[in-house]
Amino acid sequence: MGRSAHRPRRQEARTSVLPATLLERLGPLLGDEVRALELALSSPSPTSIRLNPRKRFALHAAPVPWCANGRYLDERPAFTLDPLLHAGAYYVQEASSMLLEQAVIACGLRDRDILALDLCAAPGGKSTHLLSLLSEGSLLVANEPDHARRHILAENIWKHGAVNAMITGSDPSDLRALPAMFDLVLVDAPCSGEGMFRKDPFARAQWSPALVAACAATQRSIVQHAWNALAPGGTLLYSTCTWEPAENEAQLIPLVAEGGISVELPLDPSWGIVSDEVDGAIGYRCYPHRVRGEGFFLSALKKPGDLVARMKTVEEDPGAAWPWLSTAGSCGSVELRDLRYAFPSRWSAQLRTLGNALRMHAPGTPFAERKGEAWAPHAAAALSLALERTVFPEVQLDLAQALAYLSGEALPASAAAGTALVTHKGSALGWVHGAGRRWNNRWPAPWRIRSQRSSAPRVSWQGS
Ligand code: SAM
């Protein structure tokens, strides 16, 4: 839910204890483990990241047991001062929420090309996770109704680099025009945020039974639209960062009553994740005293019926006209508001249907922007996995130079001309344009880092 208009001051939020009404509500779920939960919520949050398997960097760190690319870090480093974060080599994500991976595997969603929708997607933790898990032939529609959050979502998806994503900004009610459209809908619902009390003092301060009721009402509407947009045989993944049954099982029981089938996840008991079944709805809860992560709830529900195989259609390949794309016949291109986007051509029929029904933010990966009569490569093209690295000269940056670049500074040069790609540790970052004795900076202003100083440790990558 949106934050209350009158935020408590930081100091008040930090000293507040778990509300008594919440302790009472947790009693039936946890019994005498409530005290252990309270203790865990008073200890520091673990720090975890999820590596981008297609940008291949490694570090010595403990694995998150339920996520192949999840890693715990012993201390919280200065992430913004690590150029590889900006290069999309990893995403800073809370470990419990990586449980999504187990549901994707258990529901067989990796085994075929699917049309997927992440309905409440910003800032993009689960969208980028899905992009790492689903086949490259799948298409992910990442939707976020909040304008400002949608821009952060786009930034994170483009840094991840997959070309099989589009970004929309619709209210879930727009899905009325898309009945039975998607093979997977993820609803990571706005919620009362109990599971985030440790990380976010404001979540603790704004909690109330009235907030739980208001969230439950919003979730009911979102889930109904999501369910209607799901194809027969499709999967609804529903998650929140709260333990409230009213915001979790109660949202799913009506769907079970309509024939929805709860999917059991084969989780290792040593992981400490708690499963409950209420009226046929199976849910999985992470509690900070049982797992190394924050509070989280996840459930998977199949709609009755059989998935229909997706037809393959192939349209225009922009590769020849756009030499910096290495899409090898698999992508089409579309122009919207002075940007050229690449999208997987096999989904071009769906692109038209989706474009008519949803509020389109980005129909694919922007790879070129109009500059007068010409087209220049877009920032997202540098970060894209489809970038053809042989087309532009490269300027390799050390850490200090990369931080200067990410801060928006021009870089000194001897005889710089044309467009070049800047890289750090071999990973593409962005563009510069030559102006003789300097490279002008083309890193997007909204993505700039604000300070190059921090006393926090650095991320220690293997081999660095
Ligand atoms: N899935 C995201 C991730 O993993 O990074 C986090 C999603 S956050 C829990 C919930 C999101 O739902 C917020 O970005 C919020 O703006 C959005 N939201 C709020 N109200 C919504 C609504 N009625 N329909 C869809 N999304 C909504």
Side-chain angles (χ1 to χ4, degrees):
M1 296 299 283
R3 299 268 180 258
S4 61
H6 301 286
R7 290 183 166 196
R9 280 177 292 128
R10 280 191 175 275
Q11 194 54 35
E12 284 169 352
R14 223 175 262 131
T15 53
S16 64
V17 290
L18 275 188
T21 33
L22 175 55
L23 288 175
E24 278 166 31
R25 296 164 84 106
L26 288 171
L29 285 171
L30 278 175
D32 52 15
E33 286 184 35
V34 171
R35 179 74 194 125
L37 172 68
E38 266 200 294
L39 275 177
L41 290 177
S42 318
S43 65
S45 289
T47 299
S48 47
I49 62 171
R50 187 171 38 72
L51 301 169
N52 182 344
R54 298 186 61 202
K55 293 204 173 175
R56 295 199 191 95
F57 282 86
L59 77 175
H60 291 294
V64 175
W66 43 88
C67 174
N69 292 300
R71 300 286 183 276
Y72 290 108
L73 305 186
D74 292 336
E75 46 191 354
R76 192 170 182 88
F79 284 120
T80 46
L81 300 189
D82 181 10
L84 293 184
L85 175 74
H86 305 273
Y90 64 98
Y91 187 92
V92 182
Q93 188 181 6
E94 187 286 300
S96 300
S97 63
M98 299 179 198
L99 187 61
L100 177 74
E101 182 160 321
Q102 295 300 318
V104 168
I105 295 169
C107 296
L109 298 168
R110 302 188 79 173
D111 310 337
R112 57 197 305 174
D113 295 343
I114 63 166
L115 181 60
L117 168 67
D118 181 356
L119 189 51
C120 318
K126 295 183 190 64
S127 281
T128 52
H129 197 178
L130 282 176
L131 286 168
S132 293
L133 291 169
L134 300 182
S135 68
E136 288 172 35
S138 296
L139 178 69
L140 175 71
V141 180
N143 180 75
E144 168 58 48
D146 182 285
H147 176 83
R149 290 175 66 85
R150 191 156 62 243
H151 282 273
I152 298 166
L153 171 69
E155 177 182 340
N156 285 325
I157 286 185
W158 296 340
K159 286 178 174 173
H160 175 278
V163 284
N164 54 335
M166 74 169 60
I167 299 164
T168 60
S170 278
D171 184 89
S173 57
D174 290 349
L175 292 174
R176 282 196 198 104
L178 297 171
M181 179 81 184
F182 297 95
D183 305 316
L184 162 67
V185 181
L186 167 63
V187 175
D188 186 31
C191 72
S192 60
E194 290 167 9
M196 292 313 225
F197 278 11
R198 178 163 63 172
K199 271 187 92 173
D200 180 1
F202 297 117
R204 185 190 294 221
Q206 73 166 1
W207 186 92
S208 71
L211 178 66
V212 173
C215 289
T218 304
Q219 291 152 356
R220 241 186 321 281
S221 156
I222 297 175
V223 164
Q224 199 53 58
H225 290 302
W227 191 249
N228 293 340
L230 204 57
T235 304
L236 173 73
L237 297 180
Y238 180 83
S239 62
T240 65
C241 54
T242 191
W243 303 295
E244 292 289 334
E247 296 184 60
N248 293 320
E249 287 89 345
Q251 302 298 333
L252 306 171
I253 290 167
L255 306 182
V256 172
E258 279 181 39
I261 304 143
S262 237
V263 180
E264 222 170 309
L265 309 185
L267 305 184
D268 187 324
S270 72
W271 295 348
I273 295 160
V274 177
S275 83
D276 297 290
E277 181 175 342
V278 184
D279 294 339
I282 304 171
Y284 296 87
R285 283 181 172 76
C286 297
Y287 294 102
H289 65 291
R290 287 177 149 264
V291 305
R292 200 172 160 195
E294 306 302 332
F296 187 62
F297 174 91
L298 176 66
S299 184
L301 215 58
K302 284 252 184 207
K303 200 169 187 175
D306 292 317
L307 275 187
V308 177
R310 296 283 177 181
M311 297 289 288
K312 284 197 187 202
T313 52
V314 176
E315 285 201 354
E316 166 218 4
D317 170 18
W322 306 95
W324 58 89
L325 275 187
S326 66
T327 45
S330 61
C331 272
S333 94
V334 65
E335 190 177 331
L336 181 68
R337 296 185 286 263
D338 281 343
L339 294 180
R340 270 265 153 196
Y341 293 85
F343 68 93
S345 55
R346 69 164 297 181
W347 296 103
S348 36
Q350 286 84 356
L351 174 74
R352 279 188 284 274
T353 310
L354 294 164
N356 289 334
L358 301 177
R359 197 181 152 156
M360 191 57 74
H361 179 82
T365 305
F367 63 90
E369 55 188 316
R370 198 186 283 283
K371 296 271 183 204
E373 292 300 301
W375 290 92
H378 187 276
L383 297 153
S384 171
L385 295 162
L387 174 67
E388 178 53 66
R389 288 276 289 260
T390 55
V391 171
F392 294 97
E394 297 194 3
V395 180
Q396 293 176 37
L397 305 183
D398 63 20
L399 178 62
Q401 291 166 326
L403 291 177
Y405 175 75
L406 294 169
S407 305
E409 294 175 24
L411 303 172
S414 47
T419 298
L421 178 73
V422 298
T423 66
H424 177 67
K425 290 185 192 284
S427 200
L429 266 182
W431 305 109
V432 283
H433 197 76
R437 297 186 64 79
R438 64 167 199 278
W439 288 110
N440 285 336
N441 191 307
R442 291 196 47 217
W443 184 248
W447 298 3
R448 283 182 196 159
I449 58 176
R450 308 277 165 236
S451 162
Q452 294 182 36
R453 273 195 274 279
S454 165
S455 55
R458 299 297 165 106
V459 184
S460 42
W461 293 101
Q462 231 161 281
S464 61

